[in-house]
Amino acid sequence: MSKTLKPLLPGSTLGVLGGGQLGRMWAHTAQRMGYNTAVLDPDAQSPAGLVSHHHIHTDYLDPAGLKQLAAVCQAVTTEFENVPADALAQLAATLPVSPAASAVAVAQDRAREKAHFVKCGVPVAPHAVIDTAEQLAAVSDTLLPGILKTSRMGYDGKGQLRVSTRDELQAGWAKLRSVPCVLEKMLPLASECSVIVARGRDGAMVNLPVQRNLHRDGILAVTEVFAGNVPEALAQQAITAAKAVAQELNYVGVLCVEFFVLVEGGDVVSKLVVNEIAPRPHNSGHYSQDACDVSQFELQVRTMADLPLTQPRQHSPAVMLNLLGDLWFPKQLGSDPNSSQVEPAWHDVLALPGTHLHLYGKREARVGRKMGHLNITAATPEAARHTALQAAAILGIAAF
Ligand code: ADP
Ligand code: MG
């Protein structure tokens, strides 16, 4: 750690743009370490705002709101990538902002993101940038079947269409209102994984272990983290690639890099392909709260306060189950959206050993909405999986 960096010590106030669950868990961690927190989010009931010392509810680009945030805190971070990069840039005029607006701008735009990966020498899915009708017409047939993704504002599988033919591609782009898009070749996925790295202002870098992720309907459903769930050579490759991506951005903060592991054979060039980055803690890193000696949220606090980064150690094999709003509407009630909410059977789940419940304080459950997650830790991977499957059965989550 460079001696020239003066850390922001506990007692200082740290701020975050965005008041969702990631901001809330960050705030809890910062407060545990003795910091005060400030949240800027337009929603007066935002999960992070509800638990912070300061809650400024203005629009992200409201000059008065940004000024107020800058006045109460000594450093600022973000908890979602679609915060206007301009808001970060404005704040950076008066106080340390991490990650920088320039890095967030890359993560906000799939085309720029892909170009960055190429620059880092990390394998990406074959793709084409589609900003114009001419570019659409020039797309190679080898990219079909593919997935058409809006370059900006996509998340949890939103803003994506699967297209098999040129006609479907044409219709799909029109359906996406002809906004700038990226067409990616549909790849044969054996599995998906992600790596969380944290990089300090002095360039020091640490990482969490490689996470194996299962998505359902474009949304993360299950993360499993224990030795052997990703082949060692691939895991090392993923960590090296993630660090290169962070380094090349001169990144400061917590960064998640998501990968596809491809089925071998055919024209597969590399088994590991980088998918996308998130300039913040990530859903796939939540297990670190209960399975590692330093969580992804503590890493975020440490990077923004210029505290030392120590390599996190995973002390327990872990499985994380996402708790979507669907669980509040059990199937036997039918799919009637007006059917009343039923609280999931937390009592039964918490009777299982090593279950850690995290709920985000959202009042209204909706199908597909992230309401919380359940971390399961155990002495062995087999025991963690066994308990996770029991919990999943109780909650009505499909087995994995
Ligand atoms: P989001 O920003 O919504 O997370 P992603 O690009 O990560 O969007 O896509 C969501 C999911 O869709 C991925 O996790 C993966 O399961 C699937 N997917 C995305 N791109 C491809 C691809 N090129 N080939 C196969 N599956 C893909
Ligand atoms: Mg994704």
Side-chain angles (χ1 to χ4, degrees):
M1 167 112 186
S2 154
K3 293 212 169 49
T4 54
L5 287 178
K6 198 163 157 273
L8 286 172
L9 294 174
S12 314
T13 301
L14 305 177
V16 66
L17 285 172
Q21 63 265 19
L22 298 175
R24 180 180 170 105
M25 291 183 276
W26 164 85
H28 282 149
T29 307
Q31 290 169 8
R32 193 246 300 149
M33 296 172 76
Y35 292 92
N36 298 328
T37 61
V39 172
L40 191 153
D41 188 298
D43 176 6
Q45 298 296 323
S46 77
L50 290 173
V51 302
S52 266
H53 298 82
H54 306 272
H55 186 189
I56 301 157
H57 32 95
T58 64
D59 190 75
Y60 295 113
L61 283 169
D62 180 339
L66 291 171
K67 212 171 145 196
Q68 211 183 330
L69 183 67
V72 297
C73 57
Q74 283 83 59
V76 170
T77 188
T78 178
E79 62 109 47
F80 76 130
E81 59 268 44
N82 291 328
V83 64
D86 237 25
L88 292 171
Q90 280 184 49
L91 288 165
T94 53
L95 76 172
V97 172
S98 59
S102 56
V104 174
V106 171
Q108 279 175 347
D109 187 306
R110 286 188 197 278
R112 290 191 61 184
E113 203 173 57
K114 291 255 187 315
H116 179 72
F117 298 148
V118 171
K119 185 173 154 203
C120 295
V122 180
V124 296
H127 65 279
V129 173
I130 299 175
D131 291 339
T132 64
E134 290 71 35
Q135 284 171 317
L136 182 79
V139 159
S140 158
D141 283 336
T142 57
L143 294 180
L144 296 171
I147 306 188
L148 187 63
K149 304 179 180 181
T150 59
S151 289
R152 300 178 70 87
M153 302 302 259
Y155 70 99
D156 287 346
K158 294 185 176 69
Q160 297 192 4
L161 291 170
R162 295 183 176 217
V163 291
S164 300
T165 62
R166 297 198 81 87
D167 284 349
E168 281 178 24
L169 173 61
Q170 191 96 34
W173 197 50
K175 200 168 168 194
L176 295 173
R177 296 159 186 264
S178 307
V179 296
C181 282
V182 170
L183 174 68
E184 267 178 54
K185 185 180 173 68
M186 177 77 77
L187 299 173
L189 308 191
S191 63
E192 296 185 62
C193 65
S194 55
V195 180
I196 284 160
V197 296
R199 189 169 180 275
R201 217 172 298 281
D202 59 355
M205 228 182 323
V206 297
N207 65 281
L208 289 175
V210 179
Q211 298 119 204
R212 181 182 165 122
N213 304 321
L214 172 68
H215 292 83
R216 288 179 174 147
D217 299 327
I219 307 178
L220 183 66
V222 182
T223 294
E224 298 183 74
V225 195
F226 40 77
N229 67 342
V230 177
E232 187 51 33
L234 273 185
Q236 281 312 322
Q237 234 180 299
I239 291 167
T240 305
K243 287 186 168 174
V245 167
Q247 177 85 33
E248 193 65 34
L249 279 171
N250 198 17
Y251 194 85
V252 178
V254 170
L255 179 79
C256 178
V257 185
E258 291 186 73
F259 298 90
F260 298 143
V261 179
L262 304 187
V263 173
E264 268 177 300
D267 55 0
V268 167
V269 192
S270 163
K271 260 200 92 173
L272 194 75
V273 163
V274 64
N275 173 26
E276 59 174 357
I277 55 174
R280 52 169 172 78
H282 190 260
N283 198 164
S284 64
H286 289 352
Y287 73 98
S288 62
Q289 294 171 305
D290 298 299
C292 298
D293 57 2
V294 185
S295 75
Q296 60 171 349
F297 300 106
E298 179 162 345
L299 291 173
Q300 188 179 23
V301 172
R302 287 186 184 222
T303 54
M304 66 190 298
D306 291 325
L307 292 172
L309 291 177
T310 58
Q311 176 62 40
R313 183 180 68 84
Q314 185 180 5
H315 51 70
S316 301
V319 180
M320 189 253 359
L321 302 180
N322 249 357
L323 305 173
L324 299 182
D326 312 42
L327 305 186
W328 275 251
F329 302 97
K331 292 278 183 301
Q332 56 268 34
L333 293 178
S335 51
D336 175 6
N338 299 317
S339 65
S340 53
Q341 283 184 208
V342 174
E343 197 66 18
W346 306 132
H347 182 275
D348 296 343
V349 166
L350 293 171
L352 302 171
T355 53
H356 314 270
L357 180 63
H358 298 258
L359 290 173
Y360 308 146
K362 298 180 183 178
R363 297 211 177 137
E364 196 197 338
R366 287 194 299 266
V367 170
R369 189 178 201 198
K370 290 177 178 171
M371 301 298 289
H373 63 274
L374 186 72
N375 285 336
I376 296 114
T377 54
T380 64
E382 295 73 27
R385 270 191 62 85
H386 179 72
T387 305
L389 286 166
Q390 284 181 304
I394 291 168
L395 293 169
I397 298 170
F400 45 90

